[in-house]
């Protein structure tokens, strides 16, 4: 019998579920809203009930599964199977996750943080093409990341490996970051960071520009606006995009020189700008990467979109298949 | 019977050898001059003869060894057991290493590049304290490095992982590096880089300084002179040391945010400045590392000195013990 995997991608608004083969092929997908009321006390019971309901629907039993993997916000203790500090879930205090789910379902359960799980997804079935060495960054509300090196997800001594959003790219005059430092990549390459950079640069820009007009006019501006106007050849918007891509290329240079991965995969909302972004990042990357690294490490767009989470989460459960 | 390991640290002037226990305790040590004549054709035969001679001397046989590990300059193909481009050995063309040594001695042989092997040595028996996550940089004529993450030496897709000397620390106005890029760490933190930085900064410095006098006077200045004068409170020398430590702290920040190792170990000649260097690097590191990384990743001085190479090389041979 070919046993299956369950992947869960737990987010602040929805929890996504999938049943996959051990080859990473999705066979069933569903999602439920995340109920963050009562300090998030409903989340784990809702997950258990949803899986139970679906297994009944598909006429499947616990024995048909190798395991369940889950990606979650917050700080994960993988050995204990707990999460703390997932504020968008209202999980401020320590939450038991593994124990109640295994007790209720009788299927081995493991978890990791959401950026690591998305990195695993892209490495396994996405742009990483199953390479043993892949770095991943996601440019969304913040900038997250995950590192796979020599085939292992890298956690570091305290689980803070892959904090790519906090690579310093502006050491002397950077924007304040929520983490307490200044000049982190996240302050200039997240969706809000791109807009902050545009607002700051607009103060120095004197020429004609629709983007500058929108900013000066007090209009709501998004990172998508910045990229769309740059694509429409707005010179000021182009200079903002160039600066964002410089910062991304510099951070990719550091990742490349330290890890020499086969690919650095860029995902998240900001990466929707596509090749327009990628070509510019790659150009700066080539300036900052050691020549052998520039030749062998590719900068790539993420391929899996929203599915990276459930696929990567499911891949965690492959560890039970040994 | 407790089998032993042989470690070889092959350099441009000497080849160092050691016989070690599987716990990394050195039992015998010796060295021979490296004969780089005739395109380095004598090097492998000299290694074979030296080991044969010593095994006779110690009344030991091939069966008493798990394997031989070697660190070497140049670009290593670990699977093929070959080296190319080790210019300080005159090994410009592809050299067979593993095959002739195994044929002659009947002991399994493996090799890796010298910086990786030194990293393994410090991780196993030195400042890394056997942690699964250690980054190592050596500040010598150049700046080399090696990364151990999740217990594995990280090579990357083409063996260029750990090129710490080529992390860009001065993206906009950096010195030209031998690698072809500008602003690499090596251009400001190697022994020659420190002096180059001092010479450049001296052009802008107006006050009293023995270091500036020596430079203006055309005297030979070493990186040791720069650190010694800084320790003697020469203000200009202090400003040079501060800049070197800023660059090192920035690079350590990148290593920390990407890998969150338990320690970043700094070795090589420049690190002889000791705590005077370390405290300043650590100070900048704390500015550039994500708070959780700053709390959990330590900046440390290498402990093994010249022995890191043979110890780390021997540890490579532990892979035959499975």
């Amino acid at each position: 019998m070919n046993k299956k995997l369950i992947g869960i991608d737990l987010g602040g608004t929805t929890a996504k579920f999938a049943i996959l083969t051990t080859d990473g092929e999705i066979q069933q997908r569903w999602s439920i809203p995340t109920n963050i009321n009562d300090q998030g006390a409903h989340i784990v019971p809702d997950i258990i009930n949803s899986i139970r309901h679906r297994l009944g629907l598909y006429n499947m039993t616990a024995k048909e599964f190798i395991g369940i993997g889950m990606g979650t916000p917050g700080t994960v203790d993988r050995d204990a199977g707990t999460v703390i500090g997932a504020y968008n879930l209202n999980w401020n205090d320590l939450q038991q996750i593994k124990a109640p789910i295994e007790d209720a379902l009788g299927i081995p359960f493991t978890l990791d943080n959401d950026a690591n799980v998305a990195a695993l997804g892209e490495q396994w079935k996405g742009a990483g093409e199953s390479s043993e060495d892949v770095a991943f960054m996601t440019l969304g509300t913040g900038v997250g990341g995950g590192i796979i090196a020599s085939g292992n997800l890298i956690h570091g001594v305290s689980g803070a490996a892959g904090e790519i959003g906090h690579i310093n790219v502006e050491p002397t005059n950077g924007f304040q970051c929520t983490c307490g430092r200044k000049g982190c990549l996240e302050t200039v390459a997240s969706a809000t960071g791109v807009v902050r950079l545009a607002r700051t640069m607009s103060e120095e820009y004197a020429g004609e520009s629709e983007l500058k007009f929108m900013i000066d006019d007090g209009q709501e501006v998004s990172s998508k606006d910045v990229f769309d106007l740059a694509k429409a050849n707005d010179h000021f918007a182009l200079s903002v995009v160039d600066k964002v891509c410089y910062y991304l290329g510099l951070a990719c240079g550091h990742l490349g020189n330290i890890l020499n991965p086969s690919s650095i995969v860029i995902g998240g909302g900001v990466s929707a700008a596509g090749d327009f972004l990628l070509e510019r990042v790659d150009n700066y990357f080539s300036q900052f990467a050691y020549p052998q690294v520039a030749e062998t490490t590719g900068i790539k767009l993420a391929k899996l979109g929203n599915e990276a989470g459930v696929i990567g989460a499911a891949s965690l459960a492959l560890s039970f298949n040994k």
Side-chain angles (χ1 to χ4, degrees), chain A:
Chain A
M1 188 180 64
N2 291 318
K3 287 196 171 188
K4 301 292 190 293
L5 307 166
I6 295 177
I8 310 172
D9 178 11
L10 176 59
T13 51
T14 60
K16 300 185 190 73
F17 298 77
I19 295 174
L20 295 88
T21 65
T22 51
D23 293 330
E25 192 194 315
I26 294 181
Q27 298 199 313
Q28 304 288 346
R29 289 199 306 162
W30 72 96
S31 66
I32 60 172
T34 305
N35 179 355
I36 63 170
N37 292 328
D38 306 315
Q39 322 303 329
H42 304 286
I43 295 173
V44 169
D46 285 357
I47 286 171
I48 290 168
N49 288 333
S50 181
I51 291 176
R52 243 189 211 136
H53 173 70
R54 288 283 165 159
L55 296 198
L57 214 62
Y58 306 137
N59 205 16
M60 297 179 88
T61 63
K63 286 188 179 166
E64 293 172 60
F65 293 92
I66 291 166
I68 303 172
M70 183 170 93
T72 170
T75 302
V76 171
D77 184 329
R78 288 171 296 134
D79 293 329
T82 59
V83 176
I84 193 167
Y87 303 107
N88 59 340
L89 305 177
N90 280 335
W91 281 356
N92 302 357
D93 300 328
L94 189 78
Q95 302 289 319
Q96 294 291 338
I97 316 291
K98 176 185 166 78
I101 292 180
E102 286 191 343
D103 286 351
L105 298 175
I107 304 174
F109 177 91
T110 185
L111 79 177
D112 210 317
N113 86 49
D114 43 13
N116 281 345
V117 157
L120 279 177
E122 284 290 341
Q123 182 252 345
W124 189 28
K125 301 303 289 184
E129 296 174 347
S130 299
S131 162
E132 296 222 301
D133 296 274
V134 174
F136 172 76
M137 64 171 86
T138 173
L139 314 177
T141 317
V143 172
I147 309 284
I148 294 101
S150 286
N152 293 306
L153 189 59
I154 303 303
H155 293 93
V157 65
S158 77
E163 284 291 356
I164 293 172
H166 300 280
I167 293 177
N168 196 302
V169 292
E170 193 62 89
T172 48
N173 197 23
F175 295 131
Q176 181 69 47
C177 185
T178 52
C179 80
R181 309 303 189 220
K182 288 179 177 170
C184 298
L185 180 64
E186 181 164 298
T187 66
V188 290
S190 63
T192 49
V194 170
V195 174
R196 171 149 56 161
L197 191 63
R199 287 185 189 283
T200 305
M201 288 174 69
S202 80
E203 288 165 22
E204 305 286 317
Y205 188 81
E208 281 290 306
S209 159
E210 192 179 334
L211 177 58
K212 182 174 166 60
F213 175 81
M214 288 171 71
I215 290 169
D216 291 345
D217 196 41
Q219 296 180 34
E220 193 81 10
V221 171
S222 69
S223 74
K224 184 173 185 305
D225 294 331
V226 175
F227 279 95
D228 286 350
L229 286 164
K231 286 178 181 174
N233 220 23
D234 179 307
H235 281 228
F236 170 59
L238 274 168
S239 71
V240 176
V241 166
D242 184 69
K243 198 72 189 271
V244 171
C245 293
Y246 158 81
Y247 289 128
L248 286 167
L250 182 59
C252 288
H254 299 331
L255 285 164
N257 290 335
I258 291 171
L259 297 163
N260 186 209
S262 61
S263 46
I264 301 173
V265 179
I266 304 179
V270 175
S271 76
D275 288 335
F276 186 75
L277 174 87
L278 199 69
E279 285 166 15
R280 286 166 171 77
V281 174
D282 198 28
N283 194 30
Y284 281 111
F285 169 71
S286 299
Q287 286 180 38
F288 298 129
Y290 185 68
Q292 189 185 337
V293 171
E295 279 164 28
T296 56
T297 293
I299 312 288
K300 296 182 188 163
L301 292 168
K303 277 189 180 168
L304 302 181
N306 279 337
E307 288 183 352
V310 288
I311 294 174
S315 78
L316 288 176
L318 284 171
S319 63
F320 296 118
N321 198 19
K322 281 174 182 172

